[in-house]
Amino acid sequence: MEAETFLIEVSNRGEHFACRQGDLLLIAMERAGKRAISVGCRKGGCGMCKVRVLVGTYETLPMSRAQVSEAEQHAGFALACRLRPTSALQIESDHFQNRSGPTT
């Protein structure tokens, strides 16, 4: 029996792709040949793939609190490399912020 597939809509990019149940969101996007989410370390530490889930359900693997605070996580923010959809999702990408401070 094949795993269920969920449609992922990246609303601020006007793109969509499929994600198989159990797959990480970032891997599914790359497999689909899309570039709707920025890619960094792929391990939850850099924050480049930070997204906000607007609609849908999901689970996350542990994420760096330096990149996604507890309050942000409760507001729907997550790292795409640590996010597994459990339904179709509508998300926004491009929430990466350089937290190292201003450059001089």
Side-chain angles (χ1 to χ4, degrees):
M1 183 173 176
E2 285 191 38
E4 190 172 357
T5 301
F6 305 117
L7 180 64
I8 311 301
E9 177 189 347
V10 187
S11 61
N12 64 317
R13 291 289 195 98
E15 290 195 44
H16 63 276
F17 57 91
C19 182
R20 291 187 304 231
Q21 184 177 16
D23 282 356
L24 293 167
L25 188 64
L26 193 66
I27 303 248
M29 181 206 65
E30 290 181 310
R31 185 180 299 125
K34 302 289 184 169
R35 295 178 178 224
I37 302 167
S38 298
V39 179
C41 72
R42 294 180 177 85
K43 295 180 183 173
C46 76
M48 288 291 296
C49 63
K50 188 175 183 179
V51 299
R52 183 174 184 195
V53 178
L54 304 173
V55 177
T57 60
Y58 59 95
E59 59 190 23
T60 59
L61 301 175
M63 296 180 288
S64 168
R65 285 291 177 218
Q67 304 304 330
V68 179
S69 71
E70 191 172 333
E72 287 176 314
Q73 188 171 358
H74 288 300
F77 290 93
L79 302 178
C81 67
R82 311 300 283 166
L83 186 155
R84 285 191 180 117
T86 56
S87 75
L89 297 179
Q90 180 184 15
I91 65 169
E92 290 177 336
S93 63
D94 303 323
H95 287 283
F96 172 73
Q97 295 179 10
N98 184 346
R99 295 178 186 240
S100 62
T103 57
T104 56

